[in-house]
Amino acid sequence: MSERSIGIAHPRLPLPERGGEDAPAVFLDWLFQAIPLAGRLGIQGMERDGDALTWQLALAPSLNDKGTGFGGALAAQTTLLGWCWATLWLRRHGYDRDVVVAESQQRFLAPVTGDYRLICTPQAEEASVRLAERMERRGKGRIALVQRLWCGDTLCLEAQGDYAVLPERRA
């Protein structure tokens, strides 16, 4: 893992062919370099199924003093997964843009007691269609995403985030 410098943007990955997918392992390797914290969150795998992006995570890096999931680490994971969902969606549609989280909130429902999966989907059924329309019309947009953390069959955390796609940078 290379050392990052404050104030210096990390190089972007080349875009996949329009409509093509990023290879999960390649994207995660880039993510761990671009956002050093990501490499320490216990992410073991990533897959996309339709509009759902799922991470498999190990609990060990996110343990609290009680031996369960630390809320701050879990909140960071939900925020980052939403950012990844938006970034990967943009890349699949041929956009090389910056994404920022505008708002986020979490509801902790049950303790996380073992390895878990975190699933991110759009909050509304037509959200990705509306994002595509805004990107085409205005060159920027927003999307509300929901993240759910499952430990086995138990829903432990629900989070919501509003992610903004920034306009293209002018040279």
Side-chain angles (χ1 to χ4, degrees):
M1 196 174 291
S2 64
E3 191 74 22
R4 290 290 318 279
S5 298
I6 296 170
I8 306 297
H10 189 73
R12 295 179 189 241
L13 272 176
L15 285 172
E17 289 185 32
R18 191 174 180 105
E21 296 284 334
D22 281 286
V26 172
F27 182 79
L28 285 175
D29 183 54
W30 173 84
L31 179 68
F32 296 163
Q33 292 176 38
I35 303 175
L37 175 65
R40 295 171 179 85
L41 293 176
I43 302 166
Q44 297 179 318
M46 177 178 81
E47 63 184 50
R48 190 176 80 80
D49 182 14
D51 260 354
L53 182 63
T54 302
W55 279 351
Q56 300 295 329
L57 296 110
L59 177 58
S62 299
L63 284 173
N64 64 18
D65 58 318
K66 295 160 212 56
T68 61
F70 172 59
L74 304 176
Q77 291 166 356
T78 62
T79 302
L80 183 57
L81 180 59
W83 181 89
C84 288
W85 188 101
T87 297
L88 289 165
W89 184 93
L90 289 165
R91 292 175 55 74
R92 199 166 53 253
H93 290 84
Y95 294 105
D96 187 16
R97 300 291 174 80
D98 287 325
V99 174
V100 296
V101 61
E103 267 183 70
S104 69
Q105 62 183 22
Q106 299 82 30
R107 273 184 347 132
F108 297 89
L109 306 168
V112 178
T113 57
D115 293 350
Y116 52 97
R117 68 189 181 284
L118 193 52
I119 304 167
C120 181
T121 58
Q123 186 173 24
E125 204 171 301
E126 298 295 317
S128 56
V129 171
R130 287 193 302 276
L131 178 58
E133 291 168 353
R134 284 187 209 113
M135 292 300 299
E136 191 64 34
R137 233 181 20 253
R138 300 173 55 210
K140 62 181 182 176
R142 287 172 85 104
I143 188 163
L145 299 170
V146 175
Q147 299 86 25
R148 291 181 177 89
L149 187 156
W150 294 88
C151 189
D153 293 331
T154 303
L155 178 60
C156 298
L157 168 63
E158 280 188 315
Q160 296 176 331
D162 191 24
Y163 295 82
V165 179
L166 304 179
E168 192 170 19
R169 288 189 257 173
R170 305 283 179 206

